Amino acid sequence: MLIDIGSTVSFLKSHDNFTILTHAHPDGDTLGSGFGLCLALRALGKKANVVNNEELPPKFRYLEIEPQEFAEQTVVAVDIADANLMGNDIKAEYETKVDLSIDHHGSNRLFAKMNYVDSSAAAAAQIIFEVIGLLGVEITPQIANCLYTGISTDTGCFRYANVTPATLRTAAKLMEAGADAAKINVMMFETKTRTYAALEKLALDGMQFFYDGKCALITITRDMFAESGSDENECDGIAAISRQIEGVLVGVTVRERRDGSFKASVRTHNPVDASAICSRFGGGGHPNAAGCQLPGTKDEAIKQLIDVIGEFI
Amino acid sequence: MLIDIGSTVSFLKSHDNFTILTHAHPDGDTLGSGFGLCLALRALGKKANVVNNEELPPKFRYLEIEPQEFAEQTVVAVDIADANLMGNDIKAEYETKVDLSIDHHGSNRLFAKMNYVDSSAAAAAQIIFEVIGLLGVEITPQIANCLYTGISTDTGCFRYANVTPATLRTAAKLMEAGADAAKINVMMFETKTRTYAALEKLALDGMQFFYDGKCALITITRDMFAESGSDENECDGIAAISRQIEGVLVGVTVRERRDGSFKASVRTHNPVDASAICSRFGGGGHPNAAGCQLPGTKDEAIKQLIDVIGEFI
């Protein structure tokens, strides 16, 4: 069932003992939204925890808060478009138990009992900011840091086409509430580990072009992780690189997972729809940034993906 | 003489036939501020032109407007902290003739007859936005594109420590006035020419570290321009790279100019003052981003700069 923001706020006010779920391979938005909402619910005197499918990547650990002890009564998902994106452990336990989902993905599958989806919001954290305001909770500096992280990471620090005047005004209010914007931006956008820098160099060296340079492909193998000392947690930045080359409409990063399977991150310029490309492989996301698992060996996976991209260019 | 924004606006209202000067090696802020102010003055029925010391870099040509014919009466400088930054031709003609300077550099040398300097503004374009509002001119989409370009480029697209809530709110208003924010951001931040990508690879290959990794140095020679097919207009992005490496407090890019001399771009993290480092060589800028000419051959230039940086780390 789709609900509006008023019903969302009423539901949160009238319930307690919350488990807040974030999506697998957690990013700044799911974590910032989750911890921000958790802190707001606690400020109302309620019990709430954030549950992740895996350990937080080191760069997001500053968002983490101490868990509380209580008997779970209410399950809320934030920034999760599809139960399949919960991660296996969380999915096994919670797939049918999510009471309320708060999300900004237009592709949301409405898997929860109640779903509040605002696809005009650049980030789930932008919605959580509104929700917290309607809950009557003051935005503390800690909440502001959570929500600023969500908004800045999901917009490439206000670069992408999903930014609206409301996104910028929300960020302004978060700064006034004490968000340490410059420090967060340095951590999120201006810091490359030496291992990441080495991986980036290997990635650039192997970049391939298709369709008259309209598609650029970066492939990251386990060997490249080993050679650079980097790992999957550091891959997010790489995904943006290939689309940045002049003339490229579709930038693809295919990376080998620990189990030998391959995952694609697809970044597009308009009018190419990244989400449509990835949905052909059972994945999804946003019009300009989406992801999917690929079937088969490296060469098979890449061939199938490049063929599908050819249909969209 | 220092003046306030009210006197600045009165001066603009009561004068006509404006020449607006921008700084040499023009960036998005000096150009966006210059063309934005020029369009606003024309909207008031006045004559105004923007004068540049050199041709605009290709990526900024969308800002350009047709010059008008008139006998110059009033000279305004925008985003120029020091007459030495005007470029040789402009300096020779205008050094002593600038009636009004509008700038946001705390290091402004007050070289004009009247100077309005607001160092709390992230970009000169943020000041020009205020000035245009007080002039009573409506922000057209074209003016909005100029000012948005100024603000986004001088803040690394809202990443840097100079961003305030007012910066974000100004950007929100510019989007509402019709600024094509997403398109400008793609052009400014998400587009690498193939030649730039090749230069970047060479730059990364040659990166050197000093002072236990606290200082990273990239050197760009004429040979590297030749090998990559890139040129000086494409160097701005490179300057940001070295500071991004984890643990680096001072990122330096030294590049060889056409005449064989060397120029340094210095980017720092707090508390290291880039402007103080560059002022030792007669240059200047902002606390975290500054530039200067270096004396001597490549090796001499680098040695002197690295020595000075050592005093600041």
Side-chain angles (χ1 to χ4, degrees):
Chain A
M1 182 175 64
L2 271 169
I3 61 170
D4 64 12
I5 193 165
S7 307
T8 302
V9 170
S10 301
F11 178 87
L12 293 170
K13 276 188 178 163
S14 59
H15 287 73
D16 202 346
N17 293 12
F18 291 90
T19 289
I20 301 170
L21 306 178
T22 55
H23 64 68
H25 311 297
D27 60 13
D29 192 25
T30 199
L31 295 173
S33 297
F35 287 114
L37 179 60
C38 186
L39 288 164
L41 292 170
R42 289 186 186 180
L44 287 172
K46 297 175 187 293
K47 302 279 186 191
N49 282 334
V50 176
V51 172
N52 306 109
N53 194 63
E54 57 247 347
E55 271 208 8
L56 299 202
K59 71 188 278 200
F60 292 124
R61 295 228 175 106
Y62 70 96
L63 296 170
E64 219 160 3
I65 53 179
E66 281 295 309
Q68 298 179 318
E69 292 277 335
F70 59 86
E72 168 188 303
Q73 291 171 340
T74 318
V75 180
V76 178
V78 288
D79 195 41
I80 306 182
D82 183 329
N84 288 321
L85 300 172
M86 288 178 175
N88 292 338
D89 296 351
I90 297 283
K91 190 183 167 198
E93 188 170 346
Y94 289 105
E95 182 169 16
T96 61
K97 292 190 205 159
V98 181
D99 298 298
L100 171 65
S101 165
I102 302 175
D103 188 30
H104 71 122
H105 294 84
S107 60
N108 189 291
R109 298 285 183 94
L110 310 182
F111 60 88
K113 292 168 198 157
M114 285 171 293
N115 301 273
Y116 176 53
V117 180
D118 176 2
S119 64
S120 77
Q126 191 180 328
I127 304 173
I128 300 295
F129 176 82
E130 272 189 90
V131 166
I132 292 176
L134 293 169
L135 284 172
V137 174
E138 193 198 343
I139 305 277
T140 62
Q142 193 182 6
I143 294 176
N145 280 338
C146 290
L147 302 184
Y148 184 89
T149 299
I151 292 174
S152 67
T153 54
D154 248 30
T155 59
C157 211
F158 310 101
R159 263 188 207 186
Y160 301 152
N162 58 356
V163 173
T164 65
T167 315
L168 294 164
R169 288 204 176 91
T170 303
K173 287 179 196 154
L174 292 170
M175 285 186 78
E176 283 163 345
D180 215 340
K183 203 172 142 195
I184 291 171
N185 293 342
V186 166
M187 289 191 292
M188 295 296 120
F189 304 108
E190 295 277 317
T191 305
K192 293 179 182 183
T193 60
R194 289 233 200 166
T195 51
Y196 174 83
L199 180 66
E200 193 179 63
K201 213 156 63 175
L202 292 174
L204 286 172
D205 281 338
M207 187 155 56
Q208 293 171 276
F209 292 91
F210 301 89
Y211 307 119
D212 285 333
K214 293 196 184 74
C215 172
L217 167 72
I218 284 173
T219 310
I220 299 175
T221 61
R222 302 308 306 176
D223 287 348
M224 288 163 72
F225 284 130
E227 186 179 341
S228 61
S230 185
D231 64 29
E232 286 180 289
N233 285 329
E234 298 192 324
C235 273
D236 281 358
I238 301 267
I241 295 177
S242 53
R243 184 182 56 180
Q244 292 176 346
I245 307 290
E246 200 173 25
V248 170
L249 283 175
V250 184
V252 185
T253 305
V254 170
R255 75 168 192 256
E256 187 177 359
R257 308 192 67 177
R258 214 163 265 121
D259 63 6
S261 69
F262 288 86
K263 183 179 186 296
S265 296
V266 178
R267 300 286 183 272
T268 59
H269 287 303
N270 290 336
V272 184
D273 185 342
S275 181
I277 292 170
C278 290
S279 73
R280 296 281 282 273
F281 296 93
H286 299 282
N288 296 127
C292 58
Q293 299 292 326
L294 296 173
T297 65
K298 186 177 84 173
D299 291 347
E300 288 162 5
I302 289 173
K303 184 178 181 320
Q304 289 178 70
L305 179 59
I306 298 296
D307 283 351
V308 166
I309 288 169
E311 296 174 33
F312 284 81
I313 287 184
Chain B
M1 182 175 63
L2 271 169
I3 62 171
D4 64 12
I5 193 165
S7 308
T8 303
V9 170
S10 301
F11 178 87
L12 293 171
K13 276 187 175 163
S14 61
H15 288 73
D16 202 346
N17 293 12
F18 291 90
T19 289
I20 301 169
L21 306 179
T22 56
H23 64 69
H25 310 297
D27 60 13
D29 192 25
T30 198
L31 295 173
S33 298
F35 288 114
L37 178 61
C38 185
L39 288 164
L41 292 169
R42 289 186 186 179
L44 287 172
K46 298 176 187 293
K47 302 279 187 191
N49 283 333
V50 176
V51 172
N52 306 107
N53 194 63
E54 58 247 344
E55 271 207 10
L56 299 203
K59 70 187 278 198
F60 292 123
R61 294 225 176 105
Y62 70 97
L63 296 170
E64 218 160 5
I65 54 180
E66 280 296 308
Q68 298 179 319
E69 292 277 334
F70 59 85
E72 167 187 305
Q73 290 171 343
T74 317
V75 180
V76 179
V78 287
D79 195 41
I80 306 183
D82 184 329
N84 287 323
L85 300 172
M86 289 178 173
N88 291 337
D89 296 352
I90 297 284
K91 189 184 167 196
E93 189 171 346
Y94 288 105
E95 182 168 16
T96 60
K97 291 189 204 160
V98 181
D99 298 297
L100 171 65
S101 166
I102 302 175
D103 187 30
H104 72 122
H105 294 85
S107 60
N108 189 292
R109 299 285 183 94
L110 310 182
F111 61 88
K113 292 169 199 158
M114 284 169 294
N115 302 273
Y116 176 53
V117 180
D118 176 2
S119 64
S120 77
Q126 190 180 329
I127 305 173
I128 300 295
F129 176 84
E130 273 189 89
V131 167
I132 292 177
L134 293 169
L135 284 171
V137 173
E138 193 198 344
I139 305 277
T140 61
Q142 193 182 7
I143 294 176
N145 279 338
C146 289
L147 302 185
Y148 184 89
T149 299
I151 292 174
S152 68
T153 54
D154 249 30
T155 58
C157 210
F158 310 101
R159 261 187 209 186
Y160 302 152
N162 59 356
V163 173
T164 64
T167 315
L168 293 165
R169 289 204 175 91
T170 302
K173 287 179 197 154
L174 292 170
M175 284 185 77
E176 283 163 346
D180 215 341
K183 203 171 143 195
I184 291 170
N185 293 342
V186 166
M187 289 191 293
M188 295 296 119
F189 305 107
E190 296 276 317
T191 305
K192 294 179 180 182
T193 60
R194 289 233 202 168
T195 51
Y196 173 83
L199 180 66
E200 194 179 62
K201 212 155 65 174
L202 293 173
L204 286 172
D205 281 339
M207 187 154 58
Q208 294 170 274
F209 293 91
F210 301 89
Y211 306 119
D212 285 333
K214 292 196 184 74
C215 172
L217 167 73
I218 284 173
T219 310
I220 299 175
T221 62
R222 304 307 305 175
D223 287 347
M224 288 162 71
F225 284 130
E227 186 180 339
S228 61
S230 184
D231 64 29
E232 286 179 290
N233 285 329
E234 298 192 325
C235 274
D236 281 356
I238 301 267
I241 295 177
S242 53
R243 184 182 54 180
Q244 292 175 346
I245 307 289
E246 201 174 24
V248 170
L249 284 174
V250 184
V252 185
T253 305
V254 170
R255 73 169 193 255
E256 187 177 1
R257 307 191 66 175
R258 213 162 265 120
D259 63 7
S261 69
F262 289 86
K263 182 178 187 297
S265 296
V266 178
R267 300 286 181 275
T268 60
H269 287 302
N270 289 336
V272 184
D273 185 342
S275 182
I277 291 170
C278 291
S279 74
R280 295 280 283 273
F281 297 91
H286 299 281
N288 296 127
C292 58
Q293 299 291 326
L294 295 173
T297 64
K298 187 178 83 171
D299 291 346
E300 288 161 5
I302 289 173
K303 185 181 181 318
Q304 289 179 69
L305 180 58
I306 297 295
D307 282 351
V308 167
I309 288 168
E311 297 175 32
F312 284 80
I313 288 186

